[in-house]
Amino acid sequence: AIWQACTSKRNSHLAIEAGVIPFLCARLADHHDDTLSIACAGALTQLGRLDEAVPVIRENDGIKTIVSIFERSSSNVPLNTVLAGVLASCAREKESVIQIRMYGGLRPLASFLSASNPELLTKSTEAVALCAKSARCVRELMANNAIGPLANLLTNSDEDVAVNAAVALANCAENDLSAAGGIRSSGGVQTLLKHLRSTYA
């Protein structure tokens, strides 16, 4: 019910003021029921669209909890999709990116880049693109072999996924010069050029 109610920004503001986020984070941490976890994470994703929600999620161990759930639900695509969506919302904030890296969230996000589910790819590439604004995150993404899958996603992917992958690669190259070599060897440069030519032809 909270997830559905939070689809409107007005209700989201009211929910934040009412202290719903600490409740959702606590339920997410306490329960091992995937259906309930999906509902809590879905509501947090909706609330995370608002800037004031992100610090509250972070301060209530939401990011730490999500990473721990990734570790026990690696094959649960619906759950991983909504959880990656929460991280994508939180990754707009520098402090949250630090927590995503610190708690080990980049490793599962990098693994999701080889998924076949378009929604999971959309959410995970969005989160990775935002995290790649940090040089330390770029080094960790490279250590988790994220460059090759990102380059592969530039072709034969949904438009949102391809755009997110392109942004992620651009951020990687901008924040760590050694990433450029990996992008080049993975064929990412040639694919990006093809996209640009087709877009501006």
Side-chain angles (χ1 to χ4, degrees), residues 64-79:
K64 181 179 181 180
T65 297
I66 286 169
V67 174
S68 70
I69 295 174
F70 281 151
E71 293 174 354
R72 65 174 173 81
S73 66
S74 58
S75 61
N76 189 325
V77 172
L79 178 57

Side-chain angles (χ1 to χ4, degrees), residues 43-88:
L44 288 171
T45 300
Q46 294 292 342
L47 294 169
R49 296 176 303 165
L50 303 178
D51 290 341
E52 64 263 36
V54 175
V56 187
I57 295 171
R58 171 172 49 79
E59 291 162 6
N60 282 274
D61 290 333
I63 293 171
K64 181 179 181 180
T65 297
I66 286 169
V67 174
S68 70
I69 295 174
F70 281 151
E71 293 174 354
R72 65 174 173 81
S73 66
S74 58
S75 61
N76 189 325
V77 172
L79 178 57
N80 288 336
T81 299
V82 290
L83 293 174
V86 181
L87 294 190

Side-chain angles (χ1 to χ4, degrees), residues 3 37-38 64 80 106 113 116 119 124-125 135 137 145 151-152 159 189:
W3 186 357
S37 295
I38 288 172
K64 181 179 181 180
N80 288 336
L106 294 173
L113 299 177
S116 58
E119 290 185 48
S124 56
T125 51
C137 286
N145 302 310
N152 291 337
E159 183 177 358
V189 174

Side-chain angles (χ1 to χ4, degrees), residues 119-169:
E119 290 185 48
L120 178 56
L121 285 172
T122 300
K123 298 302 183 183
S124 56
T125 51
E126 182 182 356
V128 167
L130 290 166
C131 288
K133 294 179 179 180
S134 158
R136 294 186 70 177
C137 286
V138 173
R139 288 194 291 273
E140 191 158 331
L141 287 166
M142 292 175 64
N144 284 282
N145 302 310
I147 300 298
L150 284 170
N152 291 337
L153 290 173
L154 294 173
T155 57
N156 301 320
S157 297
D158 288 353
E159 183 177 358
D160 288 342
V161 173
V163 169
N164 289 342
V167 172
L169 289 170

